[in-house]
Amino acid sequence: MADDVNDAIDEETAESSEALIAVHWREEEYYDPPAKLTAQANASSPAIREEYTEDKFPDSFTAYADLLTWYKRWDTVLDTSNAPFWKWFVGGELNASYNCVDRHMETHPNKAALIWIPEPESEAHQAITYRELYVRVNEFAAVLKDLGLKAGDRITFHMPMVPELPVAMLAAARLGVIHSQVFAGFSGTAAGHRIADSGSTVLVTMDGYYRSGDLLDHKVKADEAVEAAAKEGQEVDKVLVFRRYPGQYSAETPMVEGRDVFVDDLLAAHKGEIVEPVPLAATDPLFLMYTSGTTGRPKGCQHSIGGYLSYVAGTSKYYQDIHPDDTYWCMADIGWITGHSYIVYGPLALGTTSVIYEGTPNYPDAGRPWRIAQQLGVNIFHTSPTAIRMLRKVGPDEPAKYDYHFKTMTTVGEPIEPEVWRWYYETVGKGEAAITDTWWQTETGGFLGSTLPGVDKMKPGSCGPAALGIFPVILDEDANEVPAGSGKAGNICIRNPWPGVFQTIWGQPERFVSTYYAKYNTEPESKDWRDWPYFAGDGAVQSADGYYRILGRVDDVINVAGHRLGTKELESAALTVNEVAEAAAVPVVDDIRGRVVEMYVSLKPGYEATPEVENKVKRAIETDIGKIARPKNIWIVPDMPKTRSGKIMRRVIAATSNFTDTGDITTLANPEVVEKIRQQVQSAKVAKNEVPRELSETELHEIRSFGSE
Ligand code: WTA
């Protein structure tokens, strides 16, 4: 941009155009899909795209719905009358639990639905057949019913990676009780906020679980959660505690009389009981999944039964290439959307075998995942760039030592660097498996962008073309379309609704519209879906071949190891420390976790910068959110760089932490503070040997535009 033009426009505009800066993306070479995979693939020819062209929308998606068993078929495929609250398969009735359990129990009862791998290698794995799953889901549904829970009520789970979690989800789904599973690594307080937001009266948890060799006391978090929820006016009547070892208590924290109950004790009264699945409307909610946004209050993304289940079944079939006789292992946590869609609902709807692993991938050594794959004959593997980077670092030669054969391998959650992609392809996949890099979000229920593994050429670092029936567009800040191959980045949007899209934010319908649809809608009264592009909040660039490269968030969200953390959430936690006057969280590029958080704070007058204050900030973040959010560094600075309107310039401090160019700072109210902070932070980082390597284009793009939304 010419300097004279730059001077003429106001600071806010200058900010947003940073995000659209022209860049020269280097193109990577293509890799062909493996012929052996294509020969057996569910999608084996490009002709499948013909069935999902725009003129066939929305009826094309009935093929996904037809993968399910319905009590009553729908009357209307897509109802847009209350735009943008889309309704899919209106008039249809089904039950998710029936679709994931009963119908497979009828056809192949003795096949493993789940295989659970405990973290300690001394403990045998547990295969749970569809018949056993049926029994366990029914019994737990009987327990929930006995507590008075019924369709439309909410229940919160704060469960680790154990088979009791899918059992509990499917039991709730059987009754139409809306479940909200909170990632076990989140703090009790974080679980408490989500209990309160969803209005749950029952919390389901576990006494303990293994992570990296330690049996963690998890029950203690339930007490914190109940207390935090009560502070927000939500009483929890019952805490149901599963036991890691039945009949034996693995936590130190005492049970609370009258409130806390062991699930195995309750189950004893419901042995063999059958609870008929409740026929529910396709548009009824199946679950809430909380995610971070630009304000402190988390967003409970509400997913429907009919649309969501159809979409995850269809995408599991075509993009993960799941057949009933595959052994499928997704290493994500069920506490995130990936686990809901692609450990539990998608794979089980297709009647396959889904593997669940309790612990950390590199425990007790970096060969663990490949040992599991060999032992169980896993042929579809699914994980995140963070896990791949970590396994590559700690055990680059481990995969070659094990005899397993993957046909497809998924990566999800963050952009994957081409060199990491190549290690995944050559070393983990042994050059014989397709990689599907799937771009999507908590809000979207399932994949939006990915190659079809048996059909499309792969290109490292790009997720690929749009998924079947998905019509993306990249728009600039003025809603102009950024053409493919222009080398320009913009905001990726989806022009059309799809069955997996979330229905609303629980209790915050205005926020649903304003965050995801208002940006590019010009006709708020319109009932035509064409007027409502879905704003994903990601920057992207599309190359001439139609492949998308996702650049990361354009809002105030930091993606740490594939987990979205809102800067506001982090900053609010820091601000609970009495000494802190201002706080700003920024992303720092990290070779394993993608990004980590660094927190800048300034103190109230009269307080000294001490290690004690730093520790208080760290502890506040761990208590409010969880250990995953712990900042790498806390910088106590004399002042924050600010615009004249008083807004903290996060991109300037992000640049400082990443040793990149701070860009134009002449419009700041206090430009002199930038150099002071730079000296303080960078000299400390030099001393700690934390100078980052040179950043890639993608990383630079994110740092330059951070916080500009
Ligand atoms: C990012 C996880 C690049 C993106 C399913 C998105 C990705 C956010 C990819 C959603 C990918 C997800 N390549 N970036 N393949 N997949 N992202 O809600 O920024 O936890 O908006 O859902 O992760 O994270 P969420």
Side-chain angles (χ1 to χ4, degrees):
M1 209 187 299
D3 280 334
D4 49 342
V5 180
N6 213 347
D7 289 338
I9 47 183
D10 76 287
E11 49 182 329
E12 302 289 326
T13 323
E15 279 301 289
S16 49
S17 52
E18 287 283 341
L20 304 170
I21 212 147
V23 272
H24 302 287
W25 310 103
R26 192 164 69 86
E27 285 295 326
E28 296 286 334
E29 74 283 25
Y30 294 104
Y31 288 70
D32 284 320
K36 203 169 142 198
L37 165 69
T38 308
Q40 58 78 70
N42 288 325
S44 57
S45 146
I48 191 170
R49 291 225 157 75
E50 301 303 313
E51 295 161 40
Y52 293 87
T53 49
E54 198 167 334
D55 56 314
K56 302 204 171 91
F57 175 85
D59 291 355
S60 47
F61 279 121
T62 58
Y64 284 13
D66 281 331
L67 296 171
L68 307 178
T69 305
W70 296 74
Y71 298 116
K72 182 171 169 283
R73 225 179 145 73
W74 54 89
D75 312 309
T76 310
V77 176
L78 172 63
D79 173 356
T80 63
S81 60
N82 187 22
F85 299 87
W86 315 120
K87 293 197 186 83
W88 282 88
F89 308 121
V90 180
E93 282 179 14
L94 78 170
N95 185 287
S97 184
Y98 177 84
N99 274 283
C100 293
V101 186
D102 304 41
R103 59 179 188 150
H104 309 307
M105 189 274 293
E106 286 153 15
T107 55
H108 41 269
N110 298 324
K111 187 189 147 125
L114 302 170
I115 302 180
W116 181 55
I117 314 290
E119 192 192 72
E121 264 182 311
S122 55
E123 289 182 24
H125 69 249
Q126 288 178 21
I128 299 168
T129 63
Y130 274 97
R131 187 198 305 284
E132 285 160 353
L133 183 62
Y134 173 79
V135 171
R136 289 172 70 166
V137 166
N138 272 282
E139 289 177 351
F140 194 62
V143 167
L144 298 182
K145 202 173 163 188
D146 215 26
L147 290 172
L149 291 167
K150 53 179 190 324
D153 292 345
R154 279 81 56 210
I155 186 167
T156 297
F157 303 150
H158 197 198
M159 292 284 290
M161 283 289 282
V162 290
E164 287 79 359
L165 173 53
V167 165
M169 289 162 69
L170 293 162
R174 204 167 183 81
L175 301 170
V177 174
I178 305 166
H179 60 74
S180 164
Q181 152 70 7
V182 179
F183 172 56
F186 271 149
S187 67
T189 309
H193 292 316
R194 288 157 178 76
I195 290 172
D197 192 85
S198 63
S200 301
T201 54
V202 177
L203 170 65
V204 183
T205 188
M206 193 165 221
D207 55 355
Y209 65 100
Y210 281 98
R211 280 309 274 186
S212 302
D214 298 322
L215 182 57
L216 305 180
D217 181 343
H218 187 60
K219 161 64 169 64
V220 61
K221 290 188 177 176
D223 298 339
E224 293 160 5
V226 171
E227 195 187 317
K231 277 198 193 132
E232 294 181 42
Q234 179 64 42
E235 291 303 324
V236 174
D237 307 327
K238 279 278 171 280
V239 177
L240 309 188
V241 184
F242 278 106
R243 286 195 267 203
R244 175 64 175 72
Y245 296 100
Q248 163 187 338
Y249 190 44
S250 301
E252 302 271 294
T253 325
M255 298 284 278
V256 174
E257 184 76 40
R259 184 197 75 186
D260 300 354
V261 205
F262 290 124
V263 178
D264 42 357
D265 289 346
L266 292 176
L267 283 171
H270 297 282
K271 252 199 138 15
E273 214 167 294
I274 299 296
V275 177
E276 285 308 320
V278 178
L280 297 155
T283 52
D284 282 343
L286 178 59
F287 66 85
L288 308 178
M289 171 60 65
Y290 280 89
T291 189
S292 299
T294 42
T295 74
R297 183 173 173 196
K299 303 184 278 195
C301 296
Q302 177 185 316
H303 283 284
S304 70
I305 303 173
Y308 170 83
L309 197 63
S310 300
Y311 197 67
V312 297
T315 49
S316 293
K317 176 171 173 179
Y318 294 125
Y319 288 92
Q320 312 247 48
D321 197 40
I322 291 179
H323 297 64
D325 51 0
D326 288 322
T327 299
Y328 166 87
W329 181 22
C330 171
M331 233 166 42
D333 196 290
I334 299 175
W336 307 106
I337 192 69
T338 300
H340 275 49
S341 300
Y342 299 113
I343 296 178
V344 180
Y345 286 113
L348 296 187
L350 296 181
T352 196
T353 301
S354 186
V355 176
I356 298 178
Y357 173 53
E358 176 180 34
T360 39
N362 59 336
Y363 187 84
D365 58 67
R368 187 71 191 277
W370 324 125
R371 241 172 359 258
I372 293 173
Q374 172 180 298
Q375 271 163 14
L376 303 183
V378 172
N379 65 338
I380 306 177
F381 184 67
H382 187 159
T383 192
S384 64
T386 289
I388 302 166
R389 290 184 208 108
M390 193 259 290
L391 291 165
R392 174 177 180 244
K393 182 169 181 209
V394 297
D397 306 320
E398 286 301 305
K401 298 180 188 161
Y402 296 91
D403 182 22
Y404 63 82
H405 296 278
F406 295 150
K407 63 170 180 174
T408 67
M409 304 189 298
T410 304
T411 156
V412 62
E414 318 151 62
I416 183 166
E417 300 75 10
E419 29 345 325
V420 178
W421 192 100
R422 278 187 277 271
W423 182 77
Y424 196 32
Y425 180 80
E426 275 148 22
T427 306
V428 177
K430 308 181 180 191
E432 58 188 16
I435 293 183
T436 51
D437 179 349
T438 60
W439 168 69
W440 59 296
Q441 313 176 301
T442 302
E443 295 86 340
T444 74
F447 308 146
L448 295 178
S450 169
T451 47
L452 280 164
V455 174
D456 299 321
K457 289 180 189 299
M458 301 163 259
K459 193 162 73 172
S462 297
C463 67
L468 296 170
I470 301 290
F471 307 106
V473 62
I474 298 180
L475 299 176
D476 69 14
E477 287 299 313
D478 304 318
N480 301 309
E481 191 166 336
V482 179
S486 65
K488 284 213 169 71
N491 296 317
I492 188 163
C493 298
I494 310 298
R495 290 196 288 111
N496 62 309
W498 64 98
V501 68
F502 70 140
Q503 300 179 289
T504 187
I505 302 175
W506 181 261
Q508 306 178 72
E510 311 78 24
R511 190 176 179 195
F512 171 76
V513 179
S514 64
T515 308
Y516 300 98
Y517 292 100
K519 189 171 173 84
Y520 291 118
N521 169 265
T522 51
E523 304 279 341
E525 299 306 316
S526 173
K527 311 277 176 236
D528 186 342
W529 58 261
R530 291 165 193 83
D531 290 321
W532 296 94
Y534 168 81
F535 173 67
D538 276 327
V541 61
Q542 189 183 25
S543 38
D545 59 13
Y547 279 35
Y548 294 95
R549 189 197 294 202
I550 303 300
L551 306 173
R553 305 293 309 178
V554 298
D555 56 9
D556 293 343
V557 168
I558 305 178
N559 190 335
V560 178
H563 307 319
R564 283 160 64 175
L565 301 173
T567 50
K568 277 278 159 21
E569 249 175 300
L570 293 154
E571 291 160 7
S572 314
L575 287 166
T576 61
V577 174
N578 180 43
E579 293 88 334
V580 173
E582 288 177 312
V586 294
V588 177
V589 171
D590 181 88
D591 279 335
I592 301 294
R593 289 148 69 82
R595 303 287 178 275
V596 290
V597 174
E598 286 199 357
M599 181 66 88
Y600 285 69
V601 295
S602 67
L603 304 184
K604 291 175 189 161
Y607 288 108
E608 290 286 306
T610 60
E612 177 56 25
V613 177
E614 271 178 43
N615 284 333
K616 278 194 192 169
V617 173
K618 258 186 204 154
R619 272 202 307 275
I621 291 170
E622 282 182 24
T623 309
D624 253 31
I625 306 170
K627 285 207 170 66
I628 54 160
R630 177 198 267 172
K632 176 162 183 166
N633 288 300
I634 312 252
W635 305 113
I636 304 179
V637 293
D639 195 7
M640 300 279 185
K642 286 186 198 129
T643 62
R644 285 185 213 121
S645 52
K647 190 178 128 190
I648 299 177
M649 293 292 284
R650 291 195 183 79
R651 74 166 167 83
V652 172
I653 47 184
T656 304
S657 274
N658 288 283
F659 288 67
T660 59
D661 182 11
T662 47
D664 181 16
I665 54 166
T666 54
T667 57
L668 294 192
N670 53 352
E672 70 292 343
V673 79
V674 176
E675 181 53 24
K676 260 193 225 155
I677 295 180
R678 196 187 66 78
Q679 287 200 1
Q680 174 192 348
V681 169
Q682 295 188 348
S683 62
K685 287 192 149 217
V686 168
K688 290 166 77 171
N689 212 359
E690 283 182 12
V691 181
R693 57 166 167 73
E694 205 183 313
L695 304 197
S696 71
E697 301 155 317
T698 322
E699 292 161 345
L700 271 176
H701 182 273
E702 179 184 318
I703 301 305
R704 269 195 211 124
S705 50
F706 188 72
S708 58
E709 185 53 26

